């Protein structure tokens, strides 16, 4: 069933040669429920091929003197239709705050870009049993003042920070409980959004993860640049 969302967050990986090979090897494997998010400068290589394309980050202004940044309006202009917002690597290494993230969400939506909003707790917060508090806080600020009319254009990616790039993965029950909690908070905000899981997904653990019954899809990081692994992940999720 091709109804689950599959996001490939390709991070800062690959060069032109790799991409050439990638596109050939993935040609018949990228189904229309897949959203590919390549490194900015390589996005044009992925456009006009019938794929859903996302950018990994945007600025919240439409234009201006912001050296090194890309606006949602510019992204839309070249055919990008999604943006990841608030990825934990942005929060951690680039000091993105929940307030910045809220501005980015609003700017994306008003410029026709759908948003993949990432939230998740650190290992320390998990150990202190603060996961729910953190998720609620991140969601409430990021989605503050967002009109209900945009609800088809927002996907929540639940990505525990401690599970990203670590090969550590929560149990199906932990993921299920967090997704239920996220959906409860969203309901209180009068929003009905899709929620996906991301963090250390590979072609082996996806067999188990796909059994989580309240999940709307998956966000795959490092494994999404490996054609064998990503091809298999897509096949398993769609089967
Ligand atoms: P990972 O990353 O799959 O490499 O853990 C997930 C993500 O950052 O979205």
């Amino acid at each position: 069933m091709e109804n689950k969302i599959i996001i490939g967050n390709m991070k800062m990986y690959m060069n032109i040669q790799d991409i050439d090979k990638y596109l050939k090897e993935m040609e018949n494997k990228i189904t229309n429920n897949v959203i590919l998010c390549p490194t900015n400068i390589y996005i044009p290589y992925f456009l006009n091929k019938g794929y859903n394309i996302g950018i990994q980050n945007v600025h919240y202004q439409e234009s201006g003197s912001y050296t090194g940044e890309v606006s949602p309006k510019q992204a839309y202009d070249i055919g990008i239709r999604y943006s990841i917002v608030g990825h934990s690597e942005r929060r951690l290494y680039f000091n993105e705050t929940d307030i910045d993230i809220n501005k980015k969400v609003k700017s994306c939506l008003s410029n026709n870009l759908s948003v993949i909003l990432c939230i998740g707790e650190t290992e320390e917060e998990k150990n202190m049993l603060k996961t729910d508090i953190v998720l609620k806080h991140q969601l409430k600020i990021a989605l503050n003042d967002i009109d209900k009319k945009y609800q088809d254009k927002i996907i929540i990616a639940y990505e525990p920070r401690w599970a990203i790039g670590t090969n550590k993965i929560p149990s199906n029950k932990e993921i299920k409980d967090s997704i239920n909690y996220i959906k409860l908070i969203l309901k209180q905000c009068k929003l009905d959004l899709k929620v996906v899981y991301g963090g250390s997904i590979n072609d082996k653990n996806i067999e188990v993860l796909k059994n989580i019954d309240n999940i709307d899809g998956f966000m795959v990081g490092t494994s999404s640049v490996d054609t064998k692994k990503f091809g298999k992940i897509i096949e398993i999720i769609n089967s």
Side-chain angles (χ1 to χ4, degrees), residues 23 44-51:
L23 289 170
Y45 294 91
F46 290 81
L47 290 170
N48 305 314
K49 291 186 160 53
Y51 302 145

Side-chain angles (χ1 to χ4, degrees), residues 2-239:
E2 282 185 26
N3 58 1
K4 295 258 194 276
I5 301 161
I6 306 170
I7 301 157
N9 174 14
M10 304 164 102
K11 309 197 182 197
M12 201 171 68
Y13 290 113
M14 299 209 280
N15 55 32
I16 295 179
Q17 266 183 330
D18 301 328
I19 289 169
D20 242 21
K21 197 161 162 265
Y22 185 91
L23 289 170
K24 282 191 195 112
E25 291 177 7
M26 291 300 285
E27 202 179 343
N28 301 311
K29 297 184 180 164
I30 301 170
T31 46
N32 55 22
N33 52 335
V34 176
I35 304 163
L36 293 176
C37 304
T39 308
N40 279 2
I41 59 165
Y42 296 115
I43 288 175
Y45 294 91
F46 290 81
L47 290 170
N48 305 314
K49 291 186 160 53
Y51 302 145
N52 301 306
I53 301 300
I55 188 165
Q56 297 172 14
N57 174 47
V58 281
H59 195 274
Y60 51 80
Q61 299 283 359
E62 287 188 356
S63 68
S65 298
Y66 299 99
T67 303
E69 295 290 316
V70 175
S71 79
K73 195 173 182 183
Q74 291 174 314
Y76 185 84
D77 188 40
I78 69 158
I80 294 167
R81 293 294 175 262
Y82 294 82
S83 179
I84 299 174
V85 177
H87 189 278
S88 71
E89 286 154 9
R90 304 278 331 159
R91 294 178 190 251
L92 183 65
Y93 304 129
F94 303 95
N95 302 321
E96 258 181 41
T97 66
D98 291 308
I99 305 276
D100 297 330
I101 290 163
N102 177 247
K103 288 184 192 162
K104 291 183 181 197
V105 171
K106 285 179 178 157
S107 179
C108 285
L109 295 172
S110 58
N111 285 287
N112 291 314
L113 283 190
S114 293
V115 170
I116 300 159
L117 171 65
C118 301
I119 57 169
E121 78 285 1
T122 62
E123 183 146 41
E124 196 187 358
E125 288 160 347
K126 175 184 156 62
N127 293 339
M128 289 168 73
L129 306 177
K130 283 188 171 169
T131 299
D132 285 0
I133 298 170
V134 171
L135 296 180
K136 184 176 181 177
H137 180 83
Q138 290 177 343
L139 273 176
K140 291 248 170 170
I141 301 181
L143 296 175
N144 182 38
D145 216 10
I146 300 297
D147 200 305
K148 200 173 173 219
K149 72 177 182 197
Y150 290 121
Q151 63 179 359
D152 292 340
K153 288 185 149 270
I154 309 171
I155 299 165
I156 304 296
Y158 171 53
E159 299 205 304
R161 196 183 279 180
W162 55 272
I164 295 181
T166 56
N167 270 328
K168 286 195 252 172
I169 211 156
S171 68
N172 276 17
K173 172 153 188 338
E174 284 174 314
I175 297 174
K176 182 180 169 163
D177 288 350
S178 288
I179 291 179
N180 270 339
Y181 182 73
I182 290 166
K183 291 194 174 182
L184 182 79
I185 300 299
L186 292 171
K187 209 169 159 194
Q188 288 169 5
C189 302
K190 310 229 171 335
L191 291 169
D192 180 15
L193 309 181
K194 299 239 184 294
V195 183
V196 305
Y197 167 79
S200 292
I201 297 176
N202 60 38
D203 51 333
K204 308 271 183 318
N205 58 30
I206 192 65
E207 292 274 13
V208 173
L209 291 169
K210 75 172 276 208
N211 296 322
I212 301 169
D213 55 25
N214 60 351
I215 207 164
D216 297 308
F218 300 90
M219 180 148 163
V220 185
T222 314
S223 297
S224 73
V225 293
D226 179 319
T227 54
K228 283 207 182 72
K229 285 189 189 165
F230 198 43
K232 202 161 162 215
I233 291 169
I234 295 172
E235 202 183 298
I236 293 170
I237 295 171
N238 287 340
S239 66

